[in-house]
Amino acid sequence: MAAADSRHCEQTLMFTDIVGYSRLMGRNEAMAIDMLGEYRNILLSHIEAQGGQLVECIGDAIFARFDTAASATAAAIAIQQHLQTFNTLRDKKLPRLQTRIGLHKGEVALRDNAVFGDTVNIAARLEPLAVADGICISQTVYDEIRYSLSAPAKRLGGQALKNIEQKIRVYLIKPAGINWRDHLHYFLRGLNKKIIAYRYPLTACLLAFIAAGFYFVPRWLVPGYAANYVEIADFQNLMNEKADADYFSAGITEAVRSQLADMRDVYIVDSKEGIRAPIRLEGSVQRLGDNLRIAYRLFRRKDNVQIAGGKLDGTYQDIFILQDRLVGEIARYLADEFDLQNFRPAPLRLTGDVTAYDYYLRGIEYLAKSPSHETIDSSVQLFNTSLVHDEKFSLANTGLCEAYRLKYEQVKSAHWLNEAERYCLRALEYDDRSIKAYKAIGRIYSEMGRYDAATKYLEKAISISADDVAVIVELAAVYNDTGEKEKAEKLHIEAIRKFPENWIAYDGYGYHLFRNGKYNEAIGIYEKILDITPHNTLALNNIAAMNLFNANFDKAAQYFSMAAELEPHSMIFANIGSMYYLSKNFDQALLSYKEAMRLEPENYQFMVYVADTYKYIPGKEDLAIFYFKNAIQLARKEIQINPNIAKSYRYLAIAQAYFGKISDAENSISFASKLDGESIEVLSCKLRVAIAEKNDGKIKSYAKKLLESKYSDKLLLANPDFGVLKEPRFSDLFDRTH
């Protein structure tokens, strides 16, 4: 009889829960119950407004259903926006009320008000995947709302859900804007990707990683001793009406960081860098039409004690005044907190035209993205539009300078370096005290090989801002490039003596030692960084790198493991696995690779690692075959979605070579070569295929090219997959390297 009362139909299901509710219940049960009541009122009002129906409430979780994906998504976005506003207006001493939401559309069975079917399980499993203030939706929901969606969305790829046989493609929507912390939550940090972008050419990948440690660390990442440093989180945009609206709150965040970095004896860190400071600044921005509100909260992490907080209201035309007032208030409170002389940071030298500033911020947003022709061209267009409104806007000219330098890196045409030089010089013409422009022109002249000019401009920057350690480090790098190594070392040591609390000074010196092959000395310098900032994953990874170059794989694995405790993501575990793999500890390597694959079940790169490891474990060849086959399927699937990723073809080639399909493997690697040239990753893959083919001529050719490209002979010989190189007929390759 009950079965006759049920009906089948398509529904979009919503699951929600409160972030940190159990912890709050343990601390203050009465407050938690009050928050739950407010939470339910907010959610139910938006569910009903969109025609949804409450199915049930289970503790702090709410389960609802909707007839369409569009109405469910509209309700979810409205809920998150309402909660953002609620938290802004709420007493800052009270905990924030945040939720996660999961949405999935599919066929269900309805019986009275109960809902049954796999769709329920999928929706319930999607909710925990969301970050706080986020909404995780399945592909079926995304397909229906993608063209009408105005909130920022991020593809998370296929996700394995508990008790669900097939992987589900998932997207994240976050009305407040998807910030760097969210990207780090879901994916690997760019620098860590470089370490394990390909297990075999670790030398080059680690070189890129370490170089990034001093070339791309912004000036305000200058943590000192714990008593006097402040962590600044990205300001949140609470009224994110357009997908690109987050550029505005990011601009305010950068302005605050830049100005506060000038406070003497106060060190500013970015919350995304994994260095937890005892004092934290959070903020939000609301822009409705021409009205603007900036809110902030400054508090001690210990016991969550608020130091200060407030709101500044005005019009969009008042943005520069509001920013200066905001920084002035925060600086005053920090001076009181640290018992320092009151300090009023100088206003940033921007522009008198708010429209020019707006386009500049948009350009900066594109410039910060992973470089591509599309992102660089978009930034150029926006900076040029900014200059239409104010041609003398120095920062917009500097932005064009940096964009054209990136353009040069993409196409290697000297024309773009000349354009970059022209706009940097224009920037300095309009603001001859712009440290940002001096650093940019110094880097351009280094690229051109005009080291005297690079030195001249960097020295000028130091004369203007003698405390800018990043400029000193860059000048020392120029001396190193010109062969003046003693002069470079002297500059590094003087920077450390003068700025003993500044970890960038140590990082620059560590990189200098690395470039000159002094790995043990570099380890000592990076260990000093850990004395200053114990939660510094960059330093931990660099110590691991130095041990890797010394062929001390167990020690490298130890430091990668310490980094994993701070940032437990898949690439770090893959790094750990690779260290054990190189030391031929295959059982331990397998554990780490399996952990990486647990976090990213559809990652064909990790599947190849697991397969490679199984082939060296007696009696496990069937498992090697299984994982290589899966890697082939997933790599081909990725190629169908995006045929322009060289990595997909490289790993496909390795798996094909294992099965003796040499012709297929060579075809795959030819595609990788077209996309990535004769990179060290492609050469390593070609060597793998040549070894599988047993072609001594090709083996010698590719091994020689790898060694000429500074691939370490120790790493080449340590890699089990290149074991054939230890045979006497290849000994002449390595005789030439000593």
Side-chain angles (χ1 to χ4, degrees), residues 97-98 106 278 284 327 345 492-493 596 611 629 679 684 704 733:
L97 182 55
Q98 296 176 290
S284 63
V327 171
H492 282 301
I493 292 172
K629 285 183 175 179
S679 68
S684 298
K704 182 180 177 182
L733 286 169

Side-chain angles (χ1 to χ4, degrees), residues 136-195:
C136 269
I137 65 173
S138 64
Q139 184 77 51
T140 55
V141 175
Y142 183 73
D143 288 343
E144 184 170 318
I145 57 96
R146 62 189 300 180
Y147 296 112
S148 60
L149 182 64
S150 61
K154 176 183 179 64
R155 184 166 71 93
L156 303 182
Q159 300 289 328
L161 306 179
K162 186 177 180 180
N163 297 329
I164 304 299
E165 184 176 347
Q166 293 182 333
K167 296 180 177 67
I168 304 296
R169 286 194 174 274
V170 181
Y171 295 79
L172 171 73
I173 298 173
K174 194 175 178 193
I178 298 171
N179 57 38
W180 282 107
R181 178 168 289 221
D182 302 321
H183 289 294
L184 291 178
H185 177 80
Y186 288 111
F187 294 104
L188 315 166
R189 292 168 98 181
L191 296 178
N192 283 315
K193 270 189 171 181
K194 290 180 181 178
I195 285 190

Side-chain angles (χ1 to χ4, degrees), residues 380-395:
V380 167
Q381 182 181 358
L382 290 163
F383 289 135
N384 274 318
T385 306
S386 175
L387 292 174
V388 167
H389 292 274
D390 180 2
E391 67 175 355
K392 296 182 179 181
F393 186 9
S394 177
L395 286 178

Side-chain angles (χ1 to χ4, degrees), residues 19 72 83 98 143 190 216 340 361 475 554 583 629 722:
V19 177
L83 288 173
Q98 296 176 290
D143 288 343
F216 302 112
L340 302 172
L361 293 180
L475 177 60
D554 289 340
S583 62
K629 285 183 175 179
F722 300 155

Side-chain angles (χ1 to χ4, degrees), residues 382-620:
L382 290 163
F383 289 135
N384 274 318
T385 306
S386 175
L387 292 174
V388 167
H389 292 274
D390 180 2
E391 67 175 355
K392 296 182 179 181
F393 186 9
S394 177
L395 286 178
N397 281 289
T398 305
L400 271 175
C401 167
E402 293 177 334
Y404 283 131
R405 186 181 65 82
L406 289 174
K407 189 82 169 176
Y408 164 76
E409 291 183 357
Q410 293 279 315
V411 299
K412 297 301 181 185
S413 169
H415 165 74
W416 298 116
L417 273 185
N418 292 332
E419 284 294 285
E421 177 191 16
R422 182 163 73 92
Y423 280 100
C424 265
L425 293 175
R426 281 186 61 182
L428 289 171
E429 179 185 343
Y430 299 130
D431 181 3
D432 63 359
R433 298 186 65 81
S434 171
I435 301 302
K436 193 170 187 178
Y438 281 114
K439 285 195 283 190
I441 192 71
R443 189 167 297 165
I444 287 162
Y445 284 138
S446 291
E447 292 266 13
M448 291 178 166
R450 296 171 58 184
Y451 296 113
D452 288 344
T455 300
K456 170 188 168 184
Y457 280 96
L458 291 172
E459 286 178 343
K460 176 66 174 176
I462 293 171
S463 72
I464 294 169
S465 180
D467 292 342
D468 195 320
V469 180
V471 179
I472 298 171
V473 167
E474 195 139 1
L475 177 60
V478 173
Y479 289 143
N480 190 76
D481 289 339
T482 58
E484 299 175 274
K485 298 186 185 299
E486 290 184 5
K487 198 171 183 179
E489 180 137 349
K490 183 178 179 181
L491 199 58
H492 282 301
I493 292 172
E494 176 61 21
I496 289 174
R497 186 196 64 77
K498 189 176 178 183
F499 308 105
E501 300 175 5
N502 190 326
W503 77 273
I504 295 178
Y506 292 93
D507 187 54
Y509 188 37
Y511 178 63
H512 169 81
L513 293 169
F514 157 75
R515 292 179 74 189
N516 290 283
K518 299 178 180 180
Y519 303 142
N520 290 326
E521 291 179 48
I523 288 173
I525 293 298
Y526 286 117
E527 285 175 343
K528 288 184 180 296
I529 292 176
L530 293 178
D531 290 337
I532 298 170
T533 55
H535 301 297
N536 193 317
T537 54
L538 177 66
L540 289 169
N541 281 308
N542 282 349
I543 293 173
M546 298 303 100
N547 280 290
L548 171 63
F549 291 124
N550 281 335
N552 192 342
F553 303 125
D554 289 340
K555 197 75 172 177
Q558 177 187 337
Y559 276 94
F560 277 133
S561 297
M562 291 167 66
E565 291 179 10
L566 296 176
E567 290 287 344
H569 54 66
S570 55
M571 279 299 179
I572 287 286
F573 289 111
N575 287 343
I576 297 167
S578 292
M579 296 307 99
Y580 287 124
Y581 188 85
L582 291 171
S583 62
K584 300 178 180 58
N585 186 343
F586 299 118
D587 290 333
Q588 202 65 36
L590 191 61
L591 290 175
S592 297
Y593 287 147
K594 283 287 189 74
E595 180 61 18
M597 207 167 72
R598 183 186 69 79
L599 296 172
E600 286 194 58
E602 288 193 339
N603 190 312
Y604 51 82
Q605 179 179 349
F606 299 159
M607 284 191 178
V608 168
Y609 293 170
V610 170
D612 273 341
T613 309
Y614 270 129
K615 74 188 183 196
Y616 292 111
I617 299 177
K620 300 294 183 180

